[in-house]
Amino acid sequence: MTLLRTSCPLDCPDGCSLEVEVEGEGERVVSIAGSHGNPLTAGFICSKVRNFGKRLREKERLLTPAIRTGAKGSGEFRSASWDEALDAIAKELVRVRESSGSEAILPLSYGGSNGKLTEGGFDRRFFQRLGASKLDRTVCAAPTRAASLGLYGGMPGMSLQDFEHSKLIVVWGTNPSATGIHFVPIVQRAQAAGAKLVVVDPRKTPLAKRADIHLAPRPGTDLPLALAAIGWLFDNGLADEQFLEAHTTGWQELRAKASAWSTEAAAEVSGVSAEDIEAFARLYGETRPTALRCGYGFERNRNGGSAAAAVMALPAVAGHFGAPSSGFVLSTGAAWNLDIEGAADAPSSDARTINQNLVGQALAAESPDAPVDFVFVYNHNPIATLPNQELVRRGFEREDLFTVVFEQVMTDTALFADVLLPATTFLEHEDLRVGYGSYALLRVEPVIAPIDEARPNGEVFCELAQRLGLEEESDALTPKDLERRLLEGTDIGAQMDANQIAIPEIGDHPVQFVDVFPMTPDKKIHLHPKELDEVAPAGMYGYREDPATDEFPLALISPSLPGTITSTFGELIVKPVPLEMHSDDAKARELTGGQTVRVWNSFGEVLCPLSISSDLVPGTVSLPKGMWSHSSFNGNTSNALSPDTLSDLGEGACFNDARVQVEGA
Ligand SMILES: Nc1nc2c(c(=O)[nH]1)N[C@H]1C(S)=C(S)[C@@H](COP(=O)(O)OP(=O)(O)OC[C@H]3O[C@@H](n4cnc5c(=O)[nH]c(N)nc54)[C@H](O)[C@@H]3O)O[C@H]1N2
Ligand SMILES: Nc1nc2c(c(=O)[nH]1)N[C@H]1C(S)=C(S)[C@@H](COP(=O)(O)OP(=O)(O)OC[C@H]3O[C@@H](n4cnc5c(=O)[nH]c(N)nc54)[C@H](O)[C@@H]3O)O[C@H]1N2
Ligand SMILES: [Mo]
């Protein structure tokens, strides 16, 4: 038995350090546990990763290349050698490039395991040299990123550990009990020391149940809620005008926009009472130090960008900067400036860009001028995770679309492949993990050899480049080589050699406005950024009405489940997952818990069990994100109900703008 150290690169804010017990010469993973390498991990990890060893050889795992023999989607394949599979792909790439042009080729990828070496380097170099269409990765964090860049130029956020000494913690649109578990004990310790807790979430999440104030807005109404709180702070002498004058621009415009939303007006659209909004605003204005944790739940709607901006404006208005345990965090990622495309020598490309949220339209819609004829899916499970699922699936069903899926497991998308390529997991390959909730940059070391025929991403893109004559002599060809170039001129490599973890120059718990400042050109917070005002359809902080109609009155949200990371591990959720609904909504429709219901709108329908829940407010229903087709009775998931409309800023996804009706099935 050997004990090896590595790190978890999965798409989660925490980024954990791991200790893995391995049998023999790396033959079998016996156990996976959290270590103290990354202080945030604090020696414990989630059960998903504790059990990852089982995923290595589970029945859905892909361990050999394969070529389709049955109908698209049927899952009938025959095994092939790597040479045969890569030759077939290279031949088809050449054919499509000659017949329809390079832009008919679309690399379709997202975070995968979210590591730095398995994404954005070798792959971009290959596709950008090929001249393929580019993908605008907008499915997550696009509205919050646009807002954070516009207001703060991407200033690094507070460290989660520093929340322990705050006197007020505000948790806005995130459910760390599922999506970043290491924050929860920190909040609990702060509460034990007397801190107050406010949670803003349409659901009674585990933290909402422990909160002093729980604001449960109708999904998509955080913008009026936050603006009303801002207006109240100004009107009641709790805005820090000295700070605003010295360190911000645009605060007068923000104030004017906020004054349009009295607490009563915000109560009217959000369903949160005016008294609760005032109680929150007073507590937020009067308590010091106060820390705000922003998540991603409130960005996924038509108002998501302005909502994120208004929420992130709160600490500026109330003057919560310049002291420890005070400020806000959306992401800690801005602490690192690592140019992976540059390190890989990926050329810039002026090929067209396709928005990821509109991939269904790009694949399925008849647009003879600019078809996509070849799609290469890796690090992504688009049929399970993109909006307008029925349209996305129709796209993949196209007989004249050539589809490559490079995956670890037989996902809903993999079933549609013409050629399937088996990928290694993070226990079998090297990677680097840049945290977005923790300040650690972590080294991911393979703890076992690749299983059977599985290969890491870089190797495959390098082999394809060679087949198409797209390689150059100076190219980095191995992950180690790419890492060396990426970290050249920094001390990160040396730090990681010592203990597998590096912390940025600003340290791992910077105080905002002491150690880190807005990264805007004038180092000020732009509370009413002109460039965003120009692109937002209703202007900066402009509220767009609820998309509900009489036909489809219920707001459907699709939050994360504790047992999956988006659709990763979805193979394990084989029982149909219920739609959650408040008892008032169920009574009005004569529905009872446990029965099968039909949930539908103009985009699609889902057949699933019903669960009556007292954790939701009437008018809002919930069906989780990331489910696979086996998690419902008709093969559709909540994404079949998600509109492929775009958010106000960042062209982000509007999953939580789904409006539906429900009836007994
Ligand atoms: N176990 C697990 N961990 C994960 C993931 C996972 O799928 N499973 N996903 C990872 C990824 S990719 C990401 S981006 C992060 C996301 O992590 P979070 O930011 O926590 O995002 P969500 O789970 O999408 O939503 C969080 C909360 O937002 C609420 N919400 C929905 N609509 C609104 C709204 O309009 N306003 C407000 N205020 N709240 C709303 C939901 O009820 C939910 O409780 O987590 C990462 N970690
Ligand atoms: N309804 C609804 N849908 C949502 C959301 C929502 O709120 N509601 N949220 C969205 C969010 S936050 C996100 S981030 C997206 C995520 O969407 P996806 O990126 O599609 O996320 P995953 O489902 O984790 O899929 C990643 C896939 O990559 C594979 N993979 C992992 N590592 C590697 C590797 O090294 N090489 C290769 N070749 N493959 C690998 C995994 O097996 C997995 O199947 O989904 C979005 N979908
Ligand atoms: Mo995400």
Side-chain angles (χ1 to χ4, degrees):
M1 223 68 104
T2 326
L3 200 59
L4 298 169
R5 291 194 302 168
T6 187
S7 317
C8 175
L10 296 182
D11 192 346
C12 159
D14 293 7
C16 290
S17 323
L18 307 177
E19 272 172 6
V20 183
E21 223 181 344
V22 171
E23 208 172 53
E25 296 289 297
E27 273 122 43
R28 198 172 71 87
V29 171
V30 178
S31 71
I32 305 177
S35 78
H36 291 266
N38 178 1
L40 185 63
T41 306
F44 70 96
I45 53 166
C46 66
S47 61
K48 300 178 281 299
V49 176
R50 248 187 291 126
N51 291 314
F52 201 96
K54 291 195 195 113
R55 191 170 188 256
L56 294 171
R57 287 185 182 277
E58 67 186 10
K59 70 176 191 324
E60 291 82 3
R61 182 80 200 271
L62 301 175
L63 292 169
T64 171
I67 287 176
R68 177 167 72 90
T69 52
K72 289 212 171 198
S74 68
E76 289 163 38
F77 296 94
R78 67 167 172 84
S79 310
S81 68
W82 270 101
D83 270 340
E84 183 188 1
L86 291 177
D87 285 345
I89 294 168
K91 195 170 137 213
E92 192 61 20
L93 282 170
V94 170
R95 193 193 63 76
V96 169
R97 189 166 56 167
E98 275 164 14
S99 62
S100 314
S102 296
E103 288 185 340
I105 299 161
L106 177 68
L108 188 50
S109 76
Y110 197 65
S113 304
N114 231 19
K116 226 25 196 183
L117 302 178
T118 46
E119 182 206 350
F122 298 117
D123 49 339
R124 299 278 166 88
R125 181 172 77 196
F126 173 68
F127 288 113
Q128 286 168 203
R129 284 184 188 165
L130 191 62
S133 285
K134 291 178 294 182
L135 184 75
D136 197 6
R137 291 170 173 75
T138 47
V139 79
C140 173
T144 38
R145 192 186 312 117
S148 147
L149 282 175
L151 268 69
Y152 290 93
M155 175 170 76
M158 284 179 67
S159 113
L160 295 177
Q161 282 102 316
D162 282 350
F163 279 62
E164 184 159 346
H165 303 293
S166 306
K167 284 291 161 224
L168 169 64
I169 294 177
V170 181
V171 174
W172 203 307
T174 175
N175 174 26
S177 307
T179 59
I181 58 174
H182 296 88
F183 184 50
V184 177
I186 295 172
V187 174
Q188 287 171 341
R189 286 198 294 273
Q191 281 189 294
K196 294 267 194 290
L197 174 66
V198 175
V199 173
V200 188
D201 197 302
R203 296 186 304 154
K204 274 189 210 124
T205 58
L207 278 186
K209 288 177 187 166
R210 300 178 49 105
D212 298 279
I213 301 179
H214 172 208
L215 307 179
R218 178 158 175 95
T221 63
D222 299 84
L223 173 61
L225 195 64
L227 288 178
I230 288 171
W232 192 92
L233 290 169
F234 275 111
D235 293 347
N236 291 275
L238 286 169
D240 187 342
E241 294 193 13
Q242 234 177 327
F243 177 87
L244 291 169
E245 201 50 59
H247 298 290
T248 74
T249 65
W251 68 273
Q252 305 281 12
E253 284 112 310
L254 168 63
R255 182 179 186 170
K257 299 248 169 117
S259 71
W261 288 98
S262 64
T263 50
E264 288 77 17
E268 182 78 30
V269 293
S270 68
V272 177
S273 73
E275 295 72 43
D276 279 356
I277 300 174
E278 284 179 32
F280 159 64
R282 179 182 300 283
L283 199 59
Y284 192 78
E286 289 180 344
T287 315
R288 255 144 245 279
T290 278
L292 166 69
R293 172 65 167 139
C294 298
Y296 299 93
F298 64 100
E299 72 158 25
R300 310 196 199 285
N301 64 76
R302 68 215 176 271
N303 298 313
S306 275
V311 172
M312 287 189 274
L314 273 164
V317 172
H320 286 310
F321 289 124
S325 295
S326 213
F328 80 100
V329 59
L330 167 69
S331 166
T332 55
W336 305 99
N337 184 14
L338 298 173
D339 176 13
I340 187 72
E341 281 196 26
D345 267 332
S348 63
S349 152
D350 53 11
R352 69 169 166 175
T353 300
I354 291 178
N355 184 318
Q356 193 178 17
N357 294 309
L358 306 179
V359 157
Q361 297 179 28
L363 294 186
E366 271 84 67
S367 58
D369 302 339
V372 173
D373 291 337
F374 188 117
V375 63
F376 195 124
V377 182
Y378 62 102
N379 291 357
H380 193 16
N381 183 7
I383 290 184
T385 60
L386 293 183
N388 203 348
Q389 183 173 66
E390 291 192 2
L391 192 68
V392 175
R393 198 186 289 116
R394 271 212 298 288
F396 278 100
E397 279 165 358
R398 254 177 56 201
E399 278 304 325
D400 59 341
L401 178 73
F402 193 86
T403 302
V404 177
V405 180
F406 185 16
E407 247 301 348
Q408 299 169 342
V409 290
M410 186 65 94
T411 61
D412 290 351
T413 309
L415 291 171
F416 286 85
D418 290 288
V419 178
L420 263 177
L421 303 176
T424 43
T425 69
F426 76 93
L427 295 175
E428 300 153 79
H429 63 223
E430 289 159 309
D431 215 335
L432 284 178
R433 190 356 167 184
V434 181
Y436 60 97
S438 124
Y439 269 104
L441 191 150
L442 302 157
R443 180 168 273 158
V444 180
E445 295 272 19
V447 295
I448 54 167
I451 297 184
D452 294 355
E453 305 253 341
R455 288 189 186 178
N457 288 5
E459 201 176 312
V460 170
F461 291 112
C462 288
E463 282 228 20
L464 280 172
Q466 205 182 19
R467 276 177 167 73
L468 283 146
L470 293 172
E471 82 280 58
E472 283 166 24
E473 220 158 87
S474 57
D475 281 350
L477 294 175
T478 63
K480 277 268 176 290
D481 206 8
L482 185 62
E483 180 189 310
R484 200 176 39 70
R485 294 186 197 196
L486 182 70
L487 305 181
E488 219 153 51
T490 72
D491 71 344
I492 296 172
Q495 284 194 57
M496 286 194 304
D497 286 342
N499 51 12
Q500 280 189 321
I501 156 171
I503 59 168
E505 272 170 33
I506 54 168
D508 59 3
H509 58 112
V511 178
Q512 292 172 320
F513 277 85
V514 173
D515 305 308
V516 291
F517 295 88
M519 289 150 79
T520 49
D522 58 2
K523 299 215 163 32
K524 290 190 174 187
I525 307 168
H526 297 179
L527 290 172
H528 198 270
K530 190 162 160 284
E531 70 282 8
L532 297 188
D533 192 38
E534 281 166 8
V535 294
M540 195 66 202
Y541 304 116
Y543 177 71
R544 292 195 281 172
E545 294 293 324
D546 197 287
T549 58
D550 290 345
E551 203 182 354
F552 303 117
L554 298 166
L556 173 81
I557 55 172
S558 44
S560 310
L561 278 188
T564 58
I565 299 250
T566 309
S567 76
T568 305
F569 308 108
E571 65 272 26
L572 304 173
I573 307 211
V574 286
K575 276 222 306 235
V577 175
L579 175 85
E580 292 188 20
M581 178 183 260
H582 189 273
S583 56
D584 290 358
D585 290 325
K587 262 191 220 119
R589 292 168 178 77
E590 297 178 348
L591 300 171
T592 49
Q595 81 170 97
T596 299
V597 290
R598 170 176 177 250
V599 193
W600 84 102
N601 62 19
S602 60
F603 293 93
E605 69 171 5
V606 178
L607 296 178
C608 63
L610 180 72
S611 164
I612 307 298
S613 169
S614 53
D615 292 343
L616 288 165
V617 286
T620 298
V621 292
S622 174
L623 189 63
K625 75 165 180 175
M627 296 302 95
W628 289 25
S629 62
H630 58 216
S631 316
S632 77
F633 293 121
N634 69 335
N636 275 350
T637 72
S638 59
N639 291 55
L641 305 161
S642 309
D644 51 0
T645 48
L646 301 178
S647 64
D648 52 348
L649 302 176
E651 304 201 323
C654 290
F655 298 112
N656 295 337
D657 270 344
R659 296 293 179 270
V660 300
Q661 186 52 282
V662 182
E663 66 179 15

